[in-house]
Amino acid sequence: MSSTDALTLLACQIEIPAMTTASERDAHLATSVAKVRAELSGAKADLVVLPELSSIDYSREAFECLDEIAEDVEGASFQAWRVLAQEFGVFISYSFARRDATGTYISIAVAGPDGELVGHYDKLHMCQYGASMEKEYFDRGDHIFTFQVKGFTLSPIICYDIRIPELCRTLTLQHDVDLILHCGAYFRDESFATWHHFSTTRALENQVFFLSLNRAGANWGNSRFCWPWMDENTHPIRFKGTDEDFRFITISRDQLNKVREGYTFLKDRLEDYSAL
């Protein structure tokens, strides 16, 4: 394999403590950086991925304190992760509460190996059922974000975004995305049982690699990684139930090409279904 035929990601199902202050947020960031540093010291990765709002607690108590713990796009989270990105020459995708003059957002940003900000994505679809109360605190984003790692095109989506199939379809058909980074904060409410079905479907129908990454903790967990084709012989990678779990996963261009050549779902679509 050439250097652009394979990509190794480190997916981090981390625990995130309760917090309501910037100092608690920053202490958690330092702890998270130390955990990821320990993992990267033992094995090589090209990309590190963290779950939704990896910088802060997902709770009403935390959201009531967004005036203090929300950040600028180059705030405390970026400053913490950029150092590690430079240290190990990796891309790091992390999530935080972002605030600027236009509003407050659930965001994912990517720090590059050079320590620079690659870009950011603001969650497009706000969840307001079960344990979620996002429409009360956050604004929706207005753009998608893709970036390149070793010749692969990647794009982040966030939690509830997975339930809107048009988003993943657009990323696949219009932006040639190979790997979707679905970062969530999946609490064990009434929607938890259906989440894995959605991740399997989005991977297979779009023929993409699909990381569905949750946070750790008693009411969270069960992250998984889906391949562009799965059957009785090829299964998703399942993370530990509720414990912290750090997984190195390698994907290859050859895997993707073989699936798309053998199962021609995308090629067999009609150009227009509206007149049928």
Side-chain angles (χ1 to χ4, degrees), residues 184-201:
Y186 275 102
F187 188 84
R188 292 175 184 267
D189 62 13
E190 65 266 31
S191 70
F192 191 90
T194 61
W195 153 43
H196 288 163
H197 299 297
F198 278 90
S199 64
T200 297
T201 300

Side-chain angles (χ1 to χ4, degrees), residues 255-268:
Q255 288 172 302
L256 198 60
N257 290 342
K258 283 183 177 178
V259 167
R260 292 183 174 180
E261 290 167 5
Y263 305 97
T264 55
F265 307 153
L266 298 179
K267 293 178 182 177
D268 292 338

